[in-house]
Amino acid sequence: MNWGQAVTQCIQSGGTLTSVEDLDESNFLVDHADLYTSETSGFWIGIYRNVNGQLLWQDNSVLDFVNWGDGQPSEDQLDYCVELSVFSGHWSILPCSSQKGFICKKPKRYSLLFFLYLFTDAKKAKAHGHMNMWMLLTLLLIILLGMGLMFYFLFKIKTQSETERGARQWSAVLRYSHVLTGKEDENDSTNDKEKNENSIV
């Protein structure tokens, strides 16, 4: 992406092109950016010149640290933008229309401070956006499927326990009725014996 597109992408993600506040941060960026040397040779960073020729960071950080390459920056290149070289870690001035990757930095209140965007042209960015959409839809489908299974098993357990409870109650009623029926049968047989004995006498 060119520098203007990179700035827009960072703002849309809630950040700005990265500032580099010290050598440790510069080394951190180079170490992580080194993983993407096959895709780009450098990344846009958030340093720029205002109309007075003054160098500033987009996120308004203090410009205490610089890591310019040899012969950089040139005073006659006010409308150029700054890249961080993946190979050396040095900064250099390039035309803002150059296609580079870019590094966004979010405010420290977020848990992730740095996002490396590895898109060197708009086509890759669009393809990545479609991939993210499919990943999101797949995740949503998995969540819905999991919730459906959970409700199914909860319903099954509930109906099974209600069926078991009903069976236990019916079993108790049958036992009670057999007990009552058994006593009546004993009483009937005792009465029959007494009748037979009385009729013989």
Side-chain angles (χ1 to χ4, degrees):
M1 291 188 167
N2 65 39
W3 193 83
Q5 292 169 328
V7 168
T8 302
Q9 187 72 33
C10 286
I11 290 171
Q12 288 175 347
S13 71
T16 59
L17 281 175
T18 192
S19 56
V20 184
E21 298 177 18
D22 55 35
L23 186 59
D24 290 335
E25 189 171 9
S26 180
N27 290 337
F28 172 83
L29 293 171
V30 170
D31 289 345
H32 287 83
D34 188 45
L35 301 171
Y36 306 104
T37 56
S38 64
E39 300 194 30
T40 185
S41 61
F43 291 90
W44 293 123
I45 58 176
I47 196 169
Y48 69 99
R49 287 185 194 244
N50 66 9
V51 292
N52 300 327
Q54 184 180 21
L55 291 171
L56 302 170
W57 288 114
Q58 275 188 328
D59 65 2
N60 298 318
S61 297
V62 177
L63 184 61
D64 286 339
F65 171 78
V66 293
N67 196 18
W68 294 109
D70 292 336
Q72 299 286 333
S74 171
E75 290 298 322
D76 60 341
Q77 297 175 319
L78 291 177
D79 59 340
Y80 280 43
C81 300
V82 180
E83 80 153 337
L84 169 75
S85 170
V86 174
F87 303 108
S88 68
H90 291 112
W91 307 347
S92 56
I93 302 286
L94 290 177
C96 296
S97 61
S98 300
Q99 297 294 308
K100 294 289 176 183
F102 56 98
I103 303 171
C104 294
K105 186 177 192 179
K106 290 189 173 186
K108 291 183 182 180
R109 66 178 179 262
Y110 296 109
S111 59
L112 298 176
L113 298 178
F114 296 98
F115 290 95
L116 295 178
Y117 288 92
L118 306 175
F119 309 117
T120 55
D121 60 24
K123 278 186 181 177
K124 287 183 184 177
K126 287 180 183 175
H128 185 70
H130 290 297
M131 186 176 72
N132 281 344
M133 181 185 68
W134 284 112
M135 287 174 39
L136 182 63
L137 287 174
T138 303
L139 181 62
L140 182 64
L141 183 63
I142 290 170
I143 290 170
L144 290 174
L145 182 63
M147 289 176 62
L149 287 172
M150 182 182 72
F151 285 125
Y152 169 75
F153 286 115
L154 287 175
F155 178 75
K156 186 175 179 179
I157 290 169
K158 182 180 177 188
T159 56
Q160 186 176 21
S161 65
E162 287 176 358
T163 304
E164 288 174 358
R165 190 178 331 120
R168 281 194 302 266
Q169 288 175 345
W170 182 248
S171 173
V173 167
L174 286 177
R175 271 187 266 132
Y176 182 70
S177 70
H178 286 310
V179 168
L180 290 178
T181 307
K183 285 185 179 176
E184 287 177 4
D185 289 343
E186 287 176 10
N187 288 339
D188 288 345
S189 64
T190 306
N191 288 340
D192 286 344
K193 283 182 185 177
E194 288 176 3
K195 285 180 188 176
N196 285 340
E197 287 176 5
N198 289 336
S199 62
I200 295 177
V201 178

